[in-house]
Amino acid sequence: MFRWKTTAAVAVTAAALVLTGCSGSTSGSDSGSGGTLILGAITPPTTFDPAGSEWGNRSPFYQAVFDTLLVATADGEIVPSLATSYEYNDDNTVLTLKIRDDVTFTDKSKLTADVVKQNLERFKTGTSPDAGYFAGVASVEAPDDTTVVITLSAPDPAMLNYLTRDPGLIASAESFDSPDLATNPVGSGPYMLDTAATVTGTSYSYTANPDYWNKDWQHYDKLTINVLQDATAGLNAVKSGEVNGIKLANNDNLAEVEGAGWTVNANELDFQGMLLLDRAGTMNPAIADVRVRQAINYAFDRPALLKALQNDNGTVTGQVFPENSPAYDKSLDDRYGYDPEKAKELLAEAGYADGLTLSMPSSTVLGATTYTLISQQLADVGITAEYTDPGNNFIADLLAPKFPVSFMALEQNPDWQLIQFMIAPNAVFNPFKYDDPKVDEYIKQIQYGDEATQGKVAKELNAYIVEQAWFAPFYRVQGSFATDANTTVKMIPTNAYPSIYDIQPK
C-alpha cells in the first residue's frame, strides 16, 4: 500500500504539492520550460473519455491532459492533487475529500465538488476495464463546492491508490455530452491535446496548458507521445534520436540502447506468465481441472524463458504477489519446477493423455519469440497453442472474455489492489468472474482485519491460489524505460509507465 505523505492524514495541505522544479531546459527557455518532450509508448488509448480510460502503459496519454484527485510519487507516497486532503470515518466506510477551489479546465469551466462527483459516478458506471474498482462505492455526495463524500458499502484498503489512477481522472463536466469526447479531452492537466496535429492511434501532440495551476509539474512547452508497438521500431527510435524517453517493449536490446548513450531506468513491477482465466471451464472445460492447470505450470522452464526472453533481466517466480508483499513466500517460487513428465502424468489423470488445444491471443507488443517458446514448451507435454492476434483490441478481447487463457504481463500491485485486480470475483483480470468460496473468505478477512491479520491471511491466500494453479507465472521482469542524455526520470513503483511529472529535462 502507498504511504500517505504525512502521518496525520486528516490535515494534509496543498503546500505538500510543492515539488522540486526543473532547473534545466532543452531549448534554452526559462526555468520550468523544457522545450519539446517526445515520448514513446507501446499502446494507444482507446478513448479519451475518463469513464472508459485505462492506466498502465496508457497512463501518459491521460495524465498529460487530466489531473487525478491524488498523485502517487516515485517515493511510494500519495500526495494531494485536485484533492488537498482526505479523512476517513472510524470504520473506514466514509471518505471525505477537500477539493481545490482555484482550478479551471481548459474550456474555462471551474472545478467544483459537483464536477468531481459527476466524474466518479461516470467512472463507476462507465466502460473502463477498471470500473470494478468502484464496485464498493455506494454513493458520492457533494455537500458544498469543495467537499466530496464517498460512502463505501465496505472498507476498501486500496481506495486512495485508485484515486491516483484512472478512477481519479477528472474532466470538465461540460464536455460529457460533446460528440467528440472520445478524441477531444477537456481537462485541467499540464497539457492540452492538439487534435489537429494528432494522428489517432499513431501520434499524439500536446501543448502546455498556459493556466495550469501547478507549474512544478509542467516541465515542457510541448509534448508528443508516439505509439511504437513493435520492439524494433522502439529501438530504431532510440538510435535515430526520434524520442527523448521510451518504454521498452522488452529487454532484448538493452546493450544496444545503452551503447547509443541512453540510460536504462529500471523497476521490477510486472510479472509475465500465463493467466489461466477460465477456471470454471465455461469456454474450455479442461481448464476447470486443477490437474490441467498444474500441468501447464510444470510445462514451463522458467529459468530458460527468463534467459531467452529477458536476457536474465528479472527474477523467476511462481506467484503473483510481489517480493515486498506480506503475502510473498519464497518457497512458492519453486512449487512448480520444470517437469514435463509430471505435466504429462497430470494431463493423463485428467483425461487428456492425447493432448488438448488452448486458444490464446497474441500481440506483437509482447514479442513473437515469446509465443514461439510458449508453443514449443506446451507442445512438449501434448498441449497445442492456437493463436489469434486481436491487434489493438488485445485487452478488450481478453476481458470480453474471448479467450480461456493468455500470456500476459501484469502489475504486481499492493495486496488489496492486486486482489481486486486479478483475484476477486469482480476483478478486472478475472473476466469469467470465477468464484471460489475459500478465496472469498480469505478476501473478507483481509478486508475487515487489522494489519497483522491482513498480512497473515494474504499469505494463506497466496499459498492457496498457487496450489490451485490460478496462474502460471514465469518471472518478475525488469521494466525498462530508456532516456536520452537530455532527459531524466524517476520510476514509479506501482505503474509500468513513469509519471509525466517525473520526466524532466536535465
Side-chain angles (χ1 to χ4, degrees), residues 57 73 79 133 152 187 189 193 256 260 287 299 302 306 326 328 347 382 390 419 425 434 439 447 469 488 501:
N57 280 300
T73 74
V79 300
Y133 288 162
L152 306 174
L193 184 69
E256 290 185 73
I287 306 302
R302 290 168 171 81
L306 179 61
Y328 178 79
L347 289 172
I419 288 168
Y434 180 69
V439 169
Q447 183 174 14
T488 64
Y501 315 132

Side-chain angles (χ1 to χ4, degrees), residues 120-299:
L120 297 179
E121 290 174 339
R122 288 186 77 249
F123 190 88
K124 176 178 170 64
T125 60
T127 59
S128 169
D130 295 332
Y133 288 162
F134 276 3
V137 174
S139 67
V140 182
E141 302 297 333
D144 58 53
D145 281 350
T146 59
T147 305
V148 172
V149 180
I150 302 172
T151 300
L152 306 174
S153 57
D156 187 338
M159 182 54 62
L160 296 178
N161 283 332
Y162 296 154
L163 298 182
T164 71
R165 301 164 67 90
D166 45 333
L169 293 169
I170 304 299
S172 165
E174 295 186 9
S175 71
F176 293 158
D177 294 326
S178 298
D180 61 352
L181 176 62
T183 56
N184 188 16
V186 181
S188 62
Y191 303 96
M192 303 177 295
L193 184 69
D194 183 348
T195 56
T198 291
V199 179
T200 299
T202 302
S203 182
Y204 297 78
S205 295
Y206 304 81
T207 58
N209 179 357
D211 300 318
Y212 190 52
W213 57 274
N214 187 6
K215 296 298 183 181
D216 289 326
W217 285 353
Q218 185 185 58
H219 306 303
Y220 295 90
D221 301 317
K222 294 183 178 181
L223 167 67
T224 299
I225 307 178
N226 293 324
V227 179
L228 300 166
Q229 294 184 307
D230 183 79
T232 301
L235 178 62
N236 290 337
V238 167
K239 289 182 174 180
S240 63
E242 294 176 8
V243 294
N244 304 112
I246 183 171
K247 169 66 177 180
L248 300 178
N250 56 50
N251 292 316
D252 291 351
N253 304 301
L254 295 187
E256 290 185 73
V257 171
E258 292 176 328
W262 285 53
T263 300
V264 174
N265 308 274
N267 64 2
E268 200 172 87
L269 171 68
D270 297 347
F271 81 88
Q272 292 190 4
M274 302 296 295
L275 307 183
L276 310 182
L277 300 171
D278 188 17
R279 301 175 199 108
T282 305
M283 189 174 292
N284 187 329
I287 306 302
D289 195 314
V290 66
R291 293 168 296 185
V292 171
R293 301 196 302 268
Q294 290 175 336
I296 292 171
N297 270 271
Y298 281 118

Side-chain angles (χ1 to χ4, degrees), residues 406-427:
S406 177
F407 173 78
M408 190 60 183
L410 288 181
E411 297 175 17
Q412 291 189 299
N413 293 304
D415 290 356
W416 184 253
Q417 194 168 327
L418 185 150
I419 288 168
Q420 298 304 308
F421 187 56
M422 63 179 82
I423 296 174
N426 291 317

Side-chain angles (χ1 to χ4, degrees), residues 392-406:
N392 286 342
N393 292 322
F394 180 91
I395 297 295
D397 284 2
L398 183 61
L399 300 182
K402 295 184 179 180
F403 300 95
V405 301
S406 177

Side-chain angles (χ1 to χ4, degrees), residues 300-381:
F300 293 112
D301 186 344
R302 290 168 171 81
L305 289 171
L306 179 61
K307 184 175 182 61
L309 298 175
Q310 303 296 335
N311 296 316
D312 282 331
N313 292 297
T315 307
V316 167
T317 190
Q319 54 198 308
V320 297
F321 284 89
E323 195 171 10
N324 60 358
S325 162
Y328 178 79
D329 182 346
K330 184 174 177 58
S331 68
L332 295 177
D333 286 336
D334 301 321
R335 169 62 181 85
Y336 299 103
Y338 178 49
D339 193 339
E341 294 307 314
K342 179 67 173 177
K344 292 177 184 177
E345 178 184 320
L346 286 168
L347 289 172
E349 290 178 6
Y352 297 96
D354 294 330
L356 63 111
T357 298
L358 297 180
S359 173
M360 292 187 277
S362 63
S363 172
T364 57
V365 172
L366 297 169
T369 303
T370 300
Y371 295 101
T372 299
L373 292 178
I374 289 173
S375 294
Q376 290 174 351
Q377 296 200 354
L378 288 175
D380 287 344
V381 302

Side-chain angles (χ1 to χ4, degrees), residues 49-96:
D49 180 354
S53 62
E54 301 175 50
W55 211 239
N57 280 300
R58 290 186 164 111
S59 61
F61 299 98
Y62 297 108
Q63 203 174 40
V65 290
F66 300 112
D67 288 309
T68 46
L69 289 168
L70 302 171
V71 164
T73 74
D75 298 323
E77 298 173 339
I78 290 177
V79 300
S81 181
L82 295 183
T84 62
S85 67
Y86 84 95
E87 181 179 8
Y88 270 112
N89 69 341
D90 290 342
D91 66 359
N92 293 325
T93 59
V94 179
L95 174 63
T96 301

